């Protein structure tokens, strides 16, 4: 058996799970699905983005950190029932992948009827053997925004 750490980066893509896991495009696509679900206020699509476990965490701007899928999913139900539809324009996106963990940092430039501004976000994904699932989202307002 070959240890993934001893392989060249191109070979490592297939070493651990038998599937290509460390591609920037796959993580970027998972991140895009998160924001598409958010904009559409689609709880089913949001549920598909996230890992359903006790290890997930989410910090919305102005909220305390939520831990576990139950608390995190409850926050999406609450946000999606609100009357403030948001549009996201993402800038300063950066993707990093280390093995089966990938993270994206970006600025969420928010456009809404009663809210606007910029939120600096960190989104962490883990490859579950089939696809990248979000395990952490942290949003922090920039300059008093959101």
């Amino acid at each position: 058996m070959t240890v993934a750490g001893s392989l060249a980066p191109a070979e490592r893509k297939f070493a651990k799970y038998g599937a290509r896991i460390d591609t920037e495009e796959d993580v970027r696509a998972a991140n895009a699905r998160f924001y598409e679900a958010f904009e559409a206020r689609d709880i089913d699509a949001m549920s598909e983005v996230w890992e359903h476990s006790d290890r997930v965490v989410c910090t919305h701007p102005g909220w305390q950190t939520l831990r576990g899928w139950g608390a995190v999913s409850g926050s999406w139900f609450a946000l999606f029932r609100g009357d403030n539809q948001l549009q996201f324009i993402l800038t300063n996106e950066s993707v990093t992948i280390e093995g089966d963990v990938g993270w994206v940092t970006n600025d969420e430039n928010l456009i809404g009827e009663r809210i606007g501004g910029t939120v600096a976000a960190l989104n962490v994904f883990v490859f579950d053997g089939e696809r990248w699932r979000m395990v952490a989202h942290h949003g922090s307002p920039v300059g008093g925004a959101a």
Side-chain angles (χ1 to χ4, degrees):
M1 178 173 202
T2 307
V3 177
S6 66
L7 299 175
E11 296 171 304
R12 257 183 275 169
K13 292 179 181 178
F14 301 94
K16 189 168 182 183
Y17 296 103
R20 201 170 106 206
I21 64 166
D22 60 346
T23 65
E24 185 176 313
E25 267 320 297
D26 292 341
V27 173
R28 195 179 303 275
N31 196 59
R33 283 190 298 275
F34 169 72
Y35 288 103
E36 289 164 5
F38 202 153
E39 279 191 353
R41 301 166 86 162
D42 184 336
I43 196 65
D44 293 329
M46 185 61 77
S47 181
E48 280 296 309
V49 168
W50 283 85
E51 178 180 283
H52 296 190
S53 73
D54 290 337
R55 73 177 176 170
V56 301
V57 297
C58 182
T59 306
H60 299 294
W63 293 40
Q64 292 183 336
T65 299
L66 305 169
R67 299 182 192 287
W69 175 241
V72 171
S73 66
S75 74
W76 294 114
F77 277 110
L79 287 170
F80 292 170
R81 275 190 270 185
D83 59 356
N84 192 27
Q85 183 84 27
L86 293 176
Q87 178 184 0
F88 293 86
I89 299 172
L90 303 180
T91 56
N92 297 321
E93 184 179 72
S94 176
V95 178
T96 304
I97 296 127
E98 291 292 335
D100 62 352
V101 178
W103 57 95
V104 181
T105 56
N106 52 235
D107 291 336
E108 303 170 350
N109 299 284
L110 304 174
I111 301 171
E113 286 185 28
R114 292 186 314 275
I115 192 171
T118 301
V119 172
L122 169 66
N123 299 321
V124 181
F125 300 87
V126 173
F127 190 75
D128 69 2
E130 295 179 21
R131 62 188 293 190
W132 293 93
R133 301 276 186 183
M134 184 174 275
V135 293
H137 168 72
H138 182 94
S140 181
V142 174

